[in-house]
Amino acid sequence: MYRCKACGNEIFSSETKFESGTGWPSFYDAIPGAVKLREDRSLGMVRTEILCARCGSHLGHLFEDGPKPTGKRYCINCVSLNLEKLAQK
């Protein structure tokens, strides 16, 4: 499980991680309710910023060029997440 480094909120399951070829950790879906999206017009372009729904920390940006089943690419700054190993059942 990938968690927000600032508050510990569960953000992404490792099952949704994929190799995007960008050098950034990429996921095709977030945990329901874990993120907020907002328009980002910085750097002379329009993008969709991804924020932690709990604490508002910047996580990265969302693009519409990801794989199935969502077609989305949550492009994440690796310093914004902690990876937590889940206990085996």
Side-chain angles (χ1 to χ4, degrees):
M1 183 62 60
Y2 288 86
R3 294 179 173 272
C4 173
K5 186 170 265 184
C7 72
N9 189 25
E10 291 182 349
I11 304 291
F12 299 104
S13 165
S14 61
E15 294 173 359
T16 64
K17 192 170 192 276
F18 71 97
E19 180 54 54
S20 66
T22 63
W24 299 89
S26 297
F27 302 84
Y28 63 78
D29 208 0
I31 302 294
V35 300
K36 290 183 192 176
L37 305 176
R38 95 173 155 198
E39 188 176 272
D40 176 3
R41 291 184 169 265
S42 66
L43 303 176
M45 60 183 104
V46 179
R47 300 180 289 175
T48 301
E49 182 181 18
I50 306 165
L51 305 164
C52 174
R54 182 187 290 166
C55 72
S57 289
H58 172 83
L59 301 173
H61 289 90
L62 178 63
F63 301 97
E64 299 291 331
D65 60 0
K68 292 182 179 184
T70 65
K72 298 187 184 301
R73 175 171 53 98
Y74 291 79
C75 186
I76 304 301
N77 298 335
C78 61
V79 297
S80 68
L81 297 177
N82 281 328
L83 175 60
E84 176 184 296
K85 186 175 181 177
L86 297 177
Q88 296 292 323
K89 290 183 180 182

